[in-house]
Amino acid sequence: MMIDVRFPTALQMMLSLALAQAEGVERLSSAELAEGVDSNPTFVRRLLVPLMQAGLVRSTMGRDGGVSLGVDAAAITLGEIYKATLGDKKLWTGRSDIPHRCLVSCNVERFFGDLADEVDESVLRLLSKRTLADALLELRTLDAERV
Amino acid sequence: MMIDVRFPTALQMMLSLALAQAEGVERLSSAELAEGVDSNPTFVRRLLVPLMQAGLVRSTMGRDGGVSLGVDAAAITLGEIYKATLGDKKLWTGRSDIPHRCLVSCNVERFFGDLADEVDESVLRLLSKRTLADALLELRTLDAERV
DNA sequence: CAAATATGTATCTTTTATTATTGCATATCA
DNA sequence: TGATATGCAATAATAAAAGATACATATTTG
């Protein structure tokens, strides 16, 4: 698993924070979050940095410290989580510095870059239609469907 | 560059074949294609396998052998190239086998899987709107815009 | 027929993005 | 002051993908 799992991991963390908030739990520690996503606290904290910068979560240091949502779950879209977590990493990357020899090799890089941009926008549009609160509700529905 | 560049590479190969066809060139060798994409013939041939199975290209063995489009460029969509090249590889993968401990950890896997499916469909829809012939035309436009 | 040269394919190595681990400074509360 | 949290830097381990190599097989040409 050396695939990039930052977004799914950040999403699960945010869902855990949303659930905690809904249940009246003040905050979760990075160790608790790490246990939930089956990873380690350092990785969790690295993911938290950009989420905090975006104001999506808030953390308190020291004993009894931890993390909680920065705003209500209904005010956070999955698109915001995605953007905060991945920055401007493109979904697709093409080969770079292809030697220019013909019509194709001279222009594919820009062509593919434009295409990749369209894909990114399309994905972000899709993600921005859903809030964290929606997602938590979907989890409850899925849970109810379990046998 | 250990990022997955199979789709951009396959796309460039297909564009080269489309250009060759438009210019009356019968076929290109995997070595020529490899030079164009700045890679090696083996990688090119590996990419060609699924494209041939999908009927998008046709190859002839032996001396003077090589590859050409299987059908007209106007009849091939970028979606078909993508599907043939990547098979059913998902655009996103989540963590797997997360220990089930709460509402979130019990259901995120399916939730994220469904989300990833939606994203895949969205991307494929976008890619299927464009044919290889369209793409070649865009390359010409980009080329004309170059200073 | 034989030489040249292409594809088809299996195997092995190299590369590198990403995750995991470790260590420690700093902050906070009881 | 001790326990325990975050913040952060540095290093190691992992694995997906590309690259390299080797060779069997097919096809054309002289």
Side-chain angles (χ1 to χ4, degrees), chain A residues 12 24 32 36 62 64 66 73-74 80 85 88 106 109-110 112-113 115 117-118 125 130 137 142:
Chain A
Q12 179 173 350
E32 290 168 316
D64 292 353
E80 289 173 292
T85 303
D88 40 8
C106 283
E109 257 176 83
R110 254 179 315 157
F112 190 77
L115 188 63
D117 285 344
E118 279 185 54
R125 254 197 309 278
R130 244 180 261 220
L137 203 61
L142 282 174

Side-chain angles (χ1 to χ4, degrees), chain A residues 96-110:
Chain A
S96 43
D97 304 320
I98 292 169
H100 291 191
R101 277 195 269 260
C102 64
L103 175 71
V104 176
S105 56
C106 283
N107 299 285
V108 266
E109 257 176 83
R110 254 179 315 157

Side-chain angles (χ1 to χ4, degrees), chain B residues 15-99:
Chain B
L15 284 165
S16 293
L17 291 174
L19 178 61
Q21 191 180 60
E23 290 181 340
V25 175
E26 285 288 344
R27 42 182 158 269
L28 298 177
S29 69
S30 58
E32 290 168 316
L33 285 170
E35 200 185 11
V37 299
D38 198 25
S39 179
N40 60 83
T42 303
F43 184 54
V44 165
R45 287 203 287 264
R46 262 205 294 268
L47 286 177
L48 285 172
V49 171
L51 293 171
M52 291 183 55
Q53 286 170 346
L56 304 181
V57 303
R58 154 185 2 228
S59 86
T60 59
M61 290 182 75
R63 177 169 170 170
D64 290 355
V67 187
S68 57
L69 287 188
V71 295
D72 195 79
I76 299 176
T77 70
L78 304 195
E80 288 173 291
I81 297 172
Y82 183 85
K83 252 188 298 190
T85 303
L86 278 302
D88 41 5
K89 187 201 181 197
K90 317 283 293 273
L91 202 48
W92 282 344
T93 311
R95 291 177 178 270
S96 43
D97 304 320
I98 292 168

Side-chain angles (χ1 to χ4, degrees), chain B residues 70-131:
Chain B
V71 295
D72 195 79
I76 299 176
T77 70
L78 304 195
E80 288 173 291
I81 297 172
Y82 183 85
K83 252 188 298 190
T85 303
L86 278 302
D88 41 5
K89 187 201 181 197
K90 317 283 293 273
L91 202 48
W92 282 344
T93 311
R95 291 177 178 270
S96 43
D97 304 320
I98 292 168
H100 290 191
R101 278 196 270 260
C102 65
L103 175 71
V104 176
S105 55
C106 284
N107 299 284
V108 265
E109 256 175 85
R110 256 180 315 158
F111 170 75
F112 190 76
D114 292 348
L115 188 63
D117 286 344
E118 278 184 56
V119 169
D120 275 339
E121 286 163 24
S122 159
V123 169
L124 263 172
R125 254 195 308 278
L126 194 151
L127 289 180
S128 298
K129 282 192 289 205
R130 245 179 259 219
T131 70

Side-chain angles (χ1 to χ4, degrees), chain B residues 128-143:
Chain B
S128 298
K129 282 192 289 205
R130 245 179 259 219
T131 70
L132 195 55
D134 296 334
L136 192 56
L137 202 63
E138 288 181 60
L139 284 188
R140 294 194 195 280
T141 307
L142 282 173
D143 197 63

